[in-house]
Amino acid sequence: MTISGSSLLMDNETSCLPCTPEEEKQIINKLSNIAESNLKEGDLYFVISNRWFKEWQEYVKQHNGDFPVDECSTHSLHANGALPKKVDRPGKIDNSFLILNEDGVEGGDLQLKRTLEEGHDYVLVHQEVWKKLYSWYKGGPAIPRKLISQGFLHKTFIVEVYPLSLQVLDARDNKKFSICMSKKSSVQELYNKVAKIVGLHEENIGIWDFFNKRKNSLLFVSDKTLEEVNLQMDQDILFEVQLDASIHFGSGMDSTGNRLALVPIESSRLPVTIAAGPAMSNGYSLPTDMVDGSDSLSTISKGDFGGLAGLQNLGNTCFMNSAIQCLVHTPPLVEYFLQDYSHEINKHNPIGMHGELAIAFGDLLRKLWSFGQASIAPRAFKGKLARFAPQFSGYNQHDSHELLAFLLDGLHEDLNRVKSKPYFETRDGNGRPDEEVAGECWDNHKARNDSIIVDICQGQYKSTLVCPVCSKVSVTFDPFMYLSLPLPSTVKRSMTVTVFSSDGAALPMPYTVTVLKHGFCKDLFQAVSTACCLKSDESLLLAEVYGHRIYRYFENPFEPLSMIKDAEHIAAYKLPKNHKGLTKLEIIHRSKEKYTSNVLDSGVRTLLGAPLVSCLPEDATTGADIQNAVRLMLSPLLKTKADCPLIQIYSSKESVFGSHSPQSELTKESMDKMDTDQEANGKISFHLSLTDERGSSCSALENEFCIRQGQFFRVLLDWTDSEHDLYDISYLKDLPEVQRFTAKKTRPEATSLFSCLEAFLKEEPLGPDDMWYCPNCKEHRQATKKLDLWRLPEILVVHLKRFSYNRYLKDKLDTFVNFPICNLDLSKYIKSNFAAAQSHIYELYAISNHSGGLGGGHYTAYVKLVEGNRWYDFDDANVHSISEDDIRTRAAYVLFYRRVKVESQEDRGEQSEAH
């Protein structure tokens, strides 16, 4: 359906503009809020150029609204500290650069370029918002997109920015044209659209799934969605015109009303499917590509070259292919899914997927082990994945580890042998032996969770929390499916931070410290604290200074240092240790000179120097106390007698001036004397004005101004000739940059897997977002946490945490991790006594690799076929052998190990007696 901008205008709507930009902002906000509170499937959203939308946001001063804005647009000041110039009203809406083809496709739909990113290239606005913006600005073209629901257990709404694009091939003359439809459209709607385009009745055409240029199945007219019949982006479909009047293609019936035989998807060449007919004996409906003539989930054998089949890339599905190849080459899973597992499918599990995920995975595994070396298109499996895990739908790149986590958990729930889960109340250890508590926790876990996945993939670790206040110790034993190990950083970085004293004790002083490049703000805080000899009753407040203002405070100790760029300016303010409960004062310096431009002819005063931050004493109550705090902070900047005649005039017996030191101080009496002239007219000695974060409003600060404790004040300090005569502001100018990275390794050897494991197991404090509720203190505490391995599984999955994400930055670590291929011995890390009877030696059998960067990376898998004792590189559909010497790379992302059975002394004794 083509929707023009003009057709979406209300009949009685005029194109007159609101009086002010503020009115536009309010109208759009109101329409957005109404739309977001009444979402329903089928609602229309419109794609708008982010470039144009940012201009509109700047125009209405909506920098912190609900729509994404580039980080650079949030700066409220120019580099010279002046307020930004007036923003002109944007022109017509221009979406032209988003369009792949202005002519669109058959049916008039417009296709978008495939590389666009929401928030960077475009934003999405509700239909009502689009109508209003179009009435004001015109332009276009209009790009409508439907709101669809995703998910099985938990429904979520998403805007289908990229509808399904299909290539329609006419069997009569092999001509091809493109159509776009929602993946939630029905097959009936597909027939209607194709029939309308070719000028035929839908009863006279038949449409085939023509994936890979091969007739896979005839699509019957039904309410099934295009997603349910496994049609993929950009794939071919073939339509044929009816030749026999007795056959009705679309309905699947002949003239007598009998249903025609189905043409199976992925024609069943080999006995790899798991059901005889359209339904299994236990009631599970199966797709036609699972029908082969057997009566049940019969046991099958591996075919020649079994396990060497590749998986075709269906559009950025290399992450899925990599994860699947690792799982389908896990020996216990291969053995399990090649046998009859129908009796273990749990279709009544409320948090499972009715067994459908397990069936789809089992069917795919059987094909991969029976089809020889031919590649397979995992369309049916991808369809199930999109249904049950909508986060993996579409054709964007995803994380293979996140998919693995979902698959392992989903397979467990679909195959859980426990049909009715008992309830167990969590009991604290209360001094009982760890072995007793751990055994009880594991038994309770197994009573609720019992599947092949638990049997082979789940282990147990011990978690110890210690309260930093009362020293309460809490010990729990929890199951794990995989180990996510951090990569210890060996690269260091030099960072320069300028330290300011809030009590006037010292001049601003830059300190250059060395921290881990991939460390956190807490590391920088500790390094600067040590460098500046921070006292026990002091604390540091880190901040970024931009345009002579505080741009942001670094209050989260676990914020990555990678967020701080080389050219930024970082300040650290010495405050009392208990500053969080005190009234804070931020001082911004303003020059008497004015900044002028063609837009602001009258000019505004420019900002200068670095801002200062202090805390007011608890007994501060008036504006006069703020003036005193300003005077105290500026005292280190006082000039000497020789440099400043005013100091000679205002000095008294109690004043102490260093004849050569710029850190000279004035006593309270002399300061009071200096205030006399200016206090005569009711003003404090400095020209101070209260302002907001943007500096867009100012009001003079009077002596009688009332202060309430716990508030945050921003004050503009106007530097007149008097201030310049008294103080040397040069100490507040030209803050040094953070500087550049310096790559220095703490040790020459590569990071080892054991180093990663030890970093995972080391004791460390919880983050501020993971505070622990102490039952003794009855409060949330930042406890210390220590993990220990207690029980290891047969299959050990190790995830190397190469990716880090936060609201500002995405990053990937390319650190080389030296991991054992054979004889990975974890015995020394196991803390339980009963586990001594088990082997803790593992050998590697699969690797999920990620090469390249975050945006354009690629996933592959290295897999060892145990039967042939050879390694293979699975790169989507391409499979070739690889030397074991070449499998250790910087791309290693998820490692798969299996336990090696070690003969006991008793077994070896029995064998020797037999000989």
Side-chain angles (χ1 to χ4, degrees), residues 695-796:
S696 57
S697 65
C698 295
S699 59
L701 180 67
E702 306 287 344
N703 272 333
E704 295 77 17
F705 177 79
C706 184
I707 295 174
R708 287 179 299 185
Q709 281 297 320
Q711 289 182 303
F712 187 97
F713 294 103
R714 286 185 177 86
V715 174
L716 284 172
L717 168 59
D718 290 330
W719 281 74
T720 65
D721 292 339
S722 298
E723 280 78 20
H724 281 291
D725 287 340
L726 280 171
Y727 301 101
D728 187 353
I729 197 175
S730 64
Y731 292 100
L732 300 181
K733 293 182 178 180
D734 301 324
L735 261 63
E737 293 182 350
V738 170
Q739 295 183 357
R740 301 290 174 182
F741 291 144
T742 55
K744 294 182 180 179
K745 292 194 174 182
T746 57
R747 55 190 180 193
E749 68 273 16
T751 298
S752 69
L753 185 63
F754 294 106
S755 298
C756 299
L757 181 59
E758 287 161 5
F760 173 74
L761 297 175
K762 75 176 182 181
E763 184 178 22
E764 60 183 3
L766 295 174
D769 297 330
D770 299 317
M771 301 288 276
W772 171 65
Y773 183 79
C774 176
N776 276 3
C777 300
K778 307 297 183 185
E779 290 186 25
H780 286 89
R781 302 293 190 191
Q782 193 171 3
T784 58
K785 183 176 184 178
K786 174 73 171 69
L787 294 177
D788 292 297
L789 298 180
W790 193 263
R791 181 194 307 264
L792 292 180
E794 180 181 349
I795 300 298
L796 180 63

Side-chain angles (χ1 to χ4, degrees), residues 390-600:
Q391 65 268 31
F392 299 116
S393 63
Y395 300 91
N396 292 326
Q397 185 69 278
H398 295 283
D399 189 317
S400 70
H401 171 255
E402 291 180 2
L403 176 61
L404 280 166
F406 167 78
L407 286 179
L408 289 173
D409 187 64
L411 291 174
H412 157 64
E413 296 297 350
D414 269 7
L415 299 172
N416 197 347
R417 304 175 186 114
V418 179
K419 310 304 180 186
S420 178
K421 296 184 177 183
Y423 171 76
F424 296 100
E425 187 172 346
T426 304
R427 294 175 57 197
D428 195 64
N430 290 327
R432 292 184 292 161
D434 283 349
E435 284 76 9
E436 179 184 339
V437 179
E440 178 184 279
C441 292
W442 186 253
D443 291 342
N444 292 346
H445 175 68
K446 286 280 289 185
R448 294 171 54 84
N449 303 276
D450 185 17
S451 68
I452 179 63
I453 303 300
V454 174
D455 293 343
I456 66 172
C457 293
Q458 286 196 356
Q460 188 182 35
Y461 61 75
K462 174 185 176 183
S463 175
T464 305
L465 292 171
V466 180
C467 177
V469 177
C470 70
S471 299
K472 163 70 177 176
V473 178
S474 174
V475 176
T476 57
F477 292 86
D478 302 303
F480 67 84
M481 193 88 76
Y482 48 83
L483 297 178
S484 285
L485 306 185
L487 303 187
S489 175
T490 60
V491 179
K492 293 199 172 184
R493 172 188 186 184
S494 292
M495 300 183 71
T496 299
V497 176
T498 304
V499 178
F500 294 84
S501 297
S502 62
D503 58 359
L507 282 168
M509 181 66 65
Y511 292 90
T512 299
V513 296
T514 302
V515 291
L516 291 174
K517 175 181 174 182
H518 298 288
F520 301 94
C521 282
K522 64 184 181 70
D523 303 316
L524 179 61
F525 174 90
Q526 184 60 48
V528 176
S529 299
T530 302
C532 71
C533 300
L534 194 70
K535 298 177 183 178
S536 60
D537 61 346
E538 293 178 324
S539 178
L540 286 182
L541 181 61
L542 295 175
E544 178 188 344
V545 177
Y546 175 83
H548 310 290
R549 288 179 178 266
I550 301 292
Y551 179 64
R552 55 174 169 161
Y553 289 104
F554 297 98
E555 297 181 293
N556 180 3
F558 292 93
E559 193 167 330
L561 289 179
S562 54
M563 292 176 54
I564 302 177
K565 305 304 180 188
D566 302 339
E568 291 176 355
H569 306 274
I570 305 299
Y573 299 96
K574 286 185 179 182
L575 300 176
K577 197 155 195 173
N578 62 341
H579 67 85
K580 290 188 177 180
L582 299 177
T583 300
K584 289 190 178 62
L585 176 65
E586 184 180 304
I587 302 171
I588 304 167
H589 308 282
R590 187 167 62 172
S591 172
K592 67 176 183 178
E593 289 85 10
K594 291 187 175 182
Y595 166 76
T596 59
S597 69
N598 294 331
V599 179
L600 298 177

Side-chain angles (χ1 to χ4, degrees), residues 556-857:
N556 180 3
F558 292 93
E559 193 167 330
L561 289 179
S562 54
M563 292 176 54
I564 302 177
K565 305 304 180 188
D566 302 339
E568 291 176 355
H569 306 274
I570 305 299
Y573 299 96
K574 286 185 179 182
L575 300 176
K577 197 155 195 173
N578 62 341
H579 67 85
K580 290 188 177 180
L582 299 177
T583 300
K584 289 190 178 62
L585 176 65
E586 184 180 304
I587 302 171
I588 304 167
H589 308 282
R590 187 167 62 172
S591 172
K592 67 176 183 178
E593 289 85 10
K594 291 187 175 182
Y595 166 76
T596 59
S597 69
N598 294 331
V599 179
L600 298 177
D601 292 330
S602 59
V604 293
R605 293 188 178 182
T606 58
L607 303 184
L608 72 160
L612 300 175
V613 178
S614 180
C615 290
L616 297 180
E618 294 182 358
D619 58 354
T621 57
T622 66
D625 294 306
I626 293 180
Q627 188 269 347
N628 289 332
V630 174
R631 181 189 296 115
L632 182 64
M633 281 189 283
L634 292 180
S635 60
L637 309 183
L638 279 168
K639 297 179 180 179
T640 64
K641 277 186 181 181
D643 296 333
C644 182
L646 282 176
I647 292 180
Q648 299 174 11
I649 296 173
Y650 289 125
S651 62
S652 65
K653 293 180 181 180
E654 292 83 3
S655 301
V656 179
F657 297 94
S659 58
H660 301 288
S661 171
Q663 300 186 45
S664 307
E665 297 182 358
L666 295 177
T667 65
K668 186 177 188 302
E669 289 78 3
S670 62
M671 286 292 187
D672 291 339
K673 189 174 188 305
M674 291 167 62
D675 294 339
T676 303
D677 295 337
Q678 298 184 49
E679 287 181 349
N681 56 9
K683 301 291 183 181
I684 58 176
S685 45
F686 292 108
H687 296 281
L688 302 178
S689 303
L690 292 173
T691 186
D692 58 14
E693 185 177 3
R694 285 178 48 80
S696 57
S697 65
C698 295
S699 59
L701 180 67
E702 306 287 344
N703 272 333
E704 295 77 17
F705 177 79
C706 184
I707 295 174
R708 287 179 299 185
Q709 281 297 320
Q711 289 182 303
F712 187 97
F713 294 103
R714 286 185 177 86
V715 174
L716 284 172
L717 168 59
D718 290 330
W719 281 74
T720 65
D721 292 339
S722 298
E723 280 78 20
H724 281 291
D725 287 340
L726 280 171
Y727 301 101
D728 187 353
I729 197 175
S730 64
Y731 292 100
L732 300 181
K733 293 182 178 180
D734 301 324
L735 261 63
E737 293 182 350
V738 170
Q739 295 183 357
R740 301 290 174 182
F741 291 144
T742 55
K744 294 182 180 179
K745 292 194 174 182
T746 57
R747 55 190 180 193
E749 68 273 16
T751 298
S752 69
L753 185 63
F754 294 106
S755 298
C756 299
L757 181 59
E758 287 161 5
F760 173 74
L761 297 175
K762 75 176 182 181
E763 184 178 22
E764 60 183 3
L766 295 174
D769 297 330
D770 299 317
M771 301 288 276
W772 171 65
Y773 183 79
C774 176
N776 276 3
C777 300
K778 307 297 183 185
E779 290 186 25
H780 286 89
R781 302 293 190 191
Q782 193 171 3
T784 58
K785 183 176 184 178
K786 174 73 171 69
L787 294 177
D788 292 297
L789 298 180
W790 193 263
R791 181 194 307 264
L792 292 180
E794 180 181 349
I795 300 298
L796 180 63
V797 181
V798 179
H799 165 227
L800 303 177
K801 296 173 69 173
R802 294 193 178 276
F803 301 106
S804 62
Y805 304 92
N806 55 62
R807 66 180 286 192
Y808 302 103
L809 186 69
K810 298 178 181 179
D811 194 20
K812 181 191 175 184
L813 299 178
D814 285 320
T815 307
F816 177 80
V817 178
N818 188 10
F819 50 85
I821 298 175
C822 301
N823 298 320
L824 170 63
D825 190 352
L826 300 178
S827 302
K828 71 175 184 178
Y829 299 103
I830 305 300
K831 299 302 180 182
S832 59
N833 295 324
F834 82 94
Q838 285 186 319
S839 167
H840 299 129
I841 298 177
Y842 289 82
E843 70 173 3
L844 189 72
Y845 71 88
I847 308 171
S848 175
N849 299 305
H850 180 271
S851 56
L854 290 171

Side-chain angles (χ1 to χ4, degrees), residues 13-192:
E13 192 169 21
T14 65
S15 59
C16 61
L17 297 176
C19 296
T20 65
E22 181 64 24
E23 285 188 18
E24 287 194 26
K25 171 183 173 180
Q26 293 176 358
I27 292 171
I28 294 303
N29 279 345
K30 183 178 179 180
L31 290 174
S32 298
N33 292 335
I34 293 174
E36 295 300 320
S37 62
N38 296 283
L39 291 178
K40 59 183 181 297
E41 190 167 10
D43 283 356
L44 283 180
Y45 275 73
F46 282 74
V47 180
I48 294 184
S49 160
N50 190 42
R51 183 189 307 163
W52 182 90
F53 196 77
K54 282 198 304 180
E55 291 178 3
W56 178 81
Q57 283 184 305
E58 294 287 344
Y59 172 63
V60 300
K61 297 183 173 60
Q62 186 172 303
H63 295 281
N64 297 312
D66 296 328
F67 299 96
V69 183
D70 259 3
E71 188 177 344
C72 60
S73 67
T74 63
H75 296 317
S76 59
L77 297 170
H78 293 300
N80 65 356
L83 294 173
K85 65 180 182 180
K86 181 180 176 182
V87 179
D88 293 330
R89 187 173 185 272
K92 291 183 178 181
I93 300 171
D94 182 10
N95 292 331
S96 58
F97 80 98
L98 303 175
I99 305 301
L100 183 65
N101 183 357
E102 286 288 354
D103 298 330
V105 294
E106 293 293 336
D109 301 293
L110 293 176
Q111 291 198 73
L112 297 177
K113 295 176 181 177
R114 294 291 175 85
T115 57
L116 303 180
E117 294 183 18
E118 184 179 0
H120 182 267
D121 300 297
Y122 67 89
V123 296
L124 296 168
V125 299
H126 190 270
Q127 175 178 340
E128 297 303 319
V129 174
W130 164 260
K131 287 161 60 177
K132 184 59 68 176
L133 289 174
Y134 182 83
S135 72
W136 295 335
Y137 293 95
K138 304 303 181 190
I143 310 173
R145 292 296 186 257
K146 283 185 179 180
L147 188 73
I148 62 174
S149 65
Q150 292 270 76
F152 177 72
L153 296 175
H154 306 286
K155 293 287 186 181
T156 58
F157 287 122
I158 67 166
V159 177
E160 191 178 25
V161 177
Y162 289 97
L164 196 62
S165 176
L166 299 172
Q167 308 300 314
V168 185
L169 185 65
D170 189 337
R172 297 171 297 180
D173 54 13
N174 288 330
K175 288 185 177 179
K176 184 183 288 188
F177 59 88
S178 299
I179 60 172
C180 277
M181 299 185 69
S182 169
K183 62 183 177 183
K184 296 296 183 180
S185 300
S186 67
V187 178
Q188 172 75 65
E189 292 172 303
L190 174 63
Y191 267 84
N192 291 343

